Amino acid sequence: MNYFILYSGDNMKDEDIFLDKVVKKTNVNKSEILKLANDLQSKDLNNENDIRDFIVSVAKVTNKSISPGKIDKLVSMIKTNKIPRDIDKMV
């Protein structure tokens, strides 16, 4: 089950607004964000290695370092469904 889904409806304006918010907040360009979203769609969020790979990919794209402890915490949150459901509030 994928928890991070970009708007996939017919309203491209909503998608653009959402992506623009993410770009502004993260300083990551739209193509990289869409690449991450596509990558996530192919991941099995029940597979710890897939989760770890995705977290590392996000860190690389955002030029952020992430400690092994923080990766462990994020993996645990994802595996136990303790992640925010409303992505729009996070942006």
Side-chain angles (χ1 to χ4, degrees), residues 27-45:
N27 292 320
V28 176
N29 67 50
K30 283 184 185 182
S31 66
E32 289 294 328
I33 293 168
L34 292 172
K35 193 184 301 181
L36 284 171
N38 285 334
D39 183 40
L40 182 61
Q41 296 300 315
S42 68
K43 299 289 185 192
D44 175 2
L45 294 181

Side-chain angles (χ1 to χ4, degrees), residues 3 12 19 33-34 36 40 42 45 48 50-52 54-55 58 63 68-69 71 77 82 84 86-87 89-91:
Y3 295 99
M12 294 300 279
L19 283 173
I33 293 168
L34 292 172
L36 284 171
L40 182 61
S42 68
L45 294 181
E48 189 169 319
D50 278 358
I51 297 169
R52 288 179 184 282
F54 184 73
I55 292 168
V58 171
N63 293 316
I71 292 173
M77 289 174 66
K82 301 222 180 233
D86 191 351
I87 293 175
K89 288 183 180 178
M90 293 171 36
V91 194

